[in-house]
Amino acid sequence: MKSTRLRLSIVSAEKSNFGAAAELAIRSLIANAPAASSLAQAFTASGFRLALVGGPVRDAILGRLGNDLDFTTDAHPHETKKILKAWADNIWDTGILFGTVAAKLGDVTVEVTTYRLEKYEENSRNPDVEFGDNIEGDLSRRDFTVNSMALELTGGEPEFIDPFGGLEDLAKKVLRTPASAEQSFSDDPLRMMRAARFASQLNFAIDPEVTAAMTAMASRISIISAERVRDEFIKMLMSENPRLGITILVDTGLADLVLPEIPKLRLEIDEHHHHKDVYEHSITVLEQAIAQEDRLGGPNLVIRLAALLHDIGKPKTRNLIEGGGVSFHHHEVVGARLAKARMKALRFDNETVDAVETLTALHLRFHGYGDGEWTDSAVRRYVRDAGELLTHLHVLTRADCTTRNAKKAERLARTYDGLEARIAKLEEEEELSKIRPDLDGAQVMQLLDLKPSADVGKALDFLMELRMEHGPLGEERATQELLQWWKARRHP
């Protein structure tokens, strides 16, 4: 595609409506991002060029510009660092070896990267970086054409640079690569994950040639570090349309390598052993959980992970029942173990791993509730086992109902309404979120004449079981029960 370098002072009747809209968006960017103008002045004063580049240019055209701005420059990194030190409130140079220096001024965060070319060797996890001498070369090494546009801010009037037809692809809502897709993914295999991520975030289609290259080269993702794969997966999962990205990962074979438990959910179904499409069910649960995220304060990574992974134990526990039907006994236990292992392999933090493991293990607990027969003791245990994840568990359990039978769905919702009401009533009466034994460790040691030991722990466990079974006992009754228990232990 022919290169486009558009001076903003020129207004041409031949421009498309979308081009005019892009021009207006860029004018708005200049007007509403004074940090960009002042930074450009600082680079100009030092004799260097500076251009806004990539995602911020794309987002400005789409009318969704944020406070994180990316720039490219002909200044080498140490020159950039000197300029930013004088311009910004804070700077950090952890990426300086790769040509990037970051800074913050007020609410605006910027990253300034020297023109560069980079690629991965066949089996390397780290890119080879070479600094370039022109912006077109820099744009040519970027992932997609819609991210290969720039706004040159130095040297006179701002200049819109679009060497690879990104503006047209943005109008068509399609993801293409500046170079051939094979070359692009060979240079940086993580771009295959980014394709799925941007499709989800922007609701764009992927060019068929790009999809074909992703499918043929999926195995190359194995040279990318787990942390970088995880970060792209999180961005995709936290988008407005994660179904699209997940489908792309599964259809191209990338999921077989980075999240193999998901494509395994596409279980074969025959005419004699009917069961719900577990893959489609899991995606639907994810979407239904997202619809309830206001209960969690907004987009929530833990609930999205738990919704997607809650049934990954089913393939390993699938059992064909004689005469028809399928069972998945204890799939929640197996699934919790698999979720923990996969998330650790992707280097998720321990808190997130533990939360998703817990929710996966508990996601069937409600179905032992029947039509409302749970005792107060069972409700207390439900709350205790969920702990701080109780609202997450509410969301997951409700989302897990994907039946098309309206009466069944209404009955399940009504039953869970009853459980939540029971929880609220007991919470008001007993402060369920602060369930503790009626006596503390110091009291136990004094009553039983014990020093800190395993026996103290066993005594507290006994008291906790009483508390769960009967509710608050009070110190007097708890003391009597404890002394009787201790006497029975010593003189069985």
Side-chain angles (χ1 to χ4, degrees), residues 256-271:
D256 291 329
L257 298 159
V258 301
L259 203 65
E261 293 79 8
I262 299 305
K264 287 179 181 177
L265 293 176
R266 287 181 163 177
L267 300 177
E268 181 180 353
I269 302 175
D270 64 44
E271 60 180 321

Side-chain angles (χ1 to χ4, degrees), residues 173-445:
K173 296 187 175 183
V174 65
L175 292 173
R176 288 190 310 110
T177 52
S180 72
E182 291 81 4
Q183 182 63 52
S184 183
F185 297 150
S186 179
D187 287 347
D188 185 356
L190 189 65
R191 290 170 178 167
M192 295 185 287
M193 292 287 297
R194 287 196 194 120
R197 187 249 290 189
F198 283 125
S200 282
Q201 289 180 328
L202 302 172
N203 200 27
F204 277 21
I206 299 179
D207 182 84
E209 291 185 8
V210 175
T211 300
M214 291 169 65
T215 304
M217 301 177 67
S219 63
R220 189 152 167 72
I221 197 68
S222 61
I223 74 167
I224 301 297
S225 69
E227 291 83 357
R228 297 187 72 205
V229 169
R230 174 203 63 208
D231 290 347
E232 288 298 326
F233 173 65
I234 289 174
K235 290 174 185 176
M236 183 200 72
L237 190 63
M238 296 304 290
S239 71
E240 291 185 4
N241 186 12
R243 172 189 284 271
L244 180 55
I246 293 166
T247 301
I248 291 167
L249 293 182
V250 171
D251 288 347
T252 59
L254 282 163
D256 291 329
L257 298 159
V258 301
L259 203 65
E261 293 79 8
I262 299 305
K264 287 179 181 177
L265 293 176
R266 287 181 163 177
L267 300 177
E268 181 180 353
I269 302 175
D270 64 44
E271 60 180 321
H272 301 294
H273 299 94
H274 294 290
H275 62 79
K276 189 176 295 183
D277 181 339
V278 184
Y279 173 80
E280 177 59 31
H281 165 75
S282 298
I283 303 298
T284 302
V285 172
L286 169 61
E287 292 174 330
Q288 292 185 168
I290 290 172
Q292 299 180 60
E293 282 181 316
D294 58 318
R295 294 191 67 176
L296 300 169
N300 186 279
L301 177 61
V302 167
I303 195 61
R304 294 192 185 203
L305 285 165
L308 180 63
L309 301 177
H310 76 286
D311 271 349
I312 61 173
K314 281 190 171 180
K316 281 187 175 291
T317 58
R318 184 181 189 223
N319 183 46
L320 303 181
I321 300 172
E322 187 175 352
V326 178
S327 68
F328 302 99
H329 292 308
H330 304 302
H331 76 267
E332 74 281 13
V333 177
V334 174
R337 185 177 71 246
L338 291 174
K340 179 178 182 179
R342 177 54 50 198
M343 291 179 65
K344 281 188 171 295
L346 288 172
R347 305 292 192 270
F348 278 88
D349 64 274
N350 290 336
E351 183 177 355
T352 302
V353 172
D354 291 344
V356 174
E357 179 188 16
T358 297
L359 290 169
T360 303
L362 293 177
H363 82 271
L364 285 184
R365 181 74 67 86
F366 161 71
H367 295 285
Y369 187 62
D371 291 322
E373 303 89 358
W374 274 14
T375 62
D376 285 351
S377 172
V379 175
R380 293 186 193 104
R381 294 176 193 279
Y382 191 78
V383 173
R384 179 196 63 180
D385 292 347
E388 295 181 354
L389 297 168
L390 181 60
T391 304
H392 287 76
L393 186 57
H394 291 334
V395 170
L396 178 60
T397 304
R398 288 182 181 275
D400 196 23
C401 175
T402 61
T403 178
R404 295 180 182 179
N405 184 320
K407 289 185 177 179
K408 181 179 180 182
E410 182 182 354
R411 177 176 59 79
L412 287 170
R414 188 169 57 248
T415 304
Y416 204 86
D417 288 343
L419 174 58
E420 288 205 55
R422 291 274 302 282
I423 290 172
K425 183 173 185 297
L426 282 177
E427 173 64 43
E428 183 179 353
E429 294 173 353
E430 303 181 14
E431 292 188 288
L432 291 185
S433 61
K434 301 177 182 177
I435 291 179
R436 297 287 187 276
D438 290 86
L439 303 174
D440 61 26
Q443 291 172 303
V444 167
M445 288 188 286

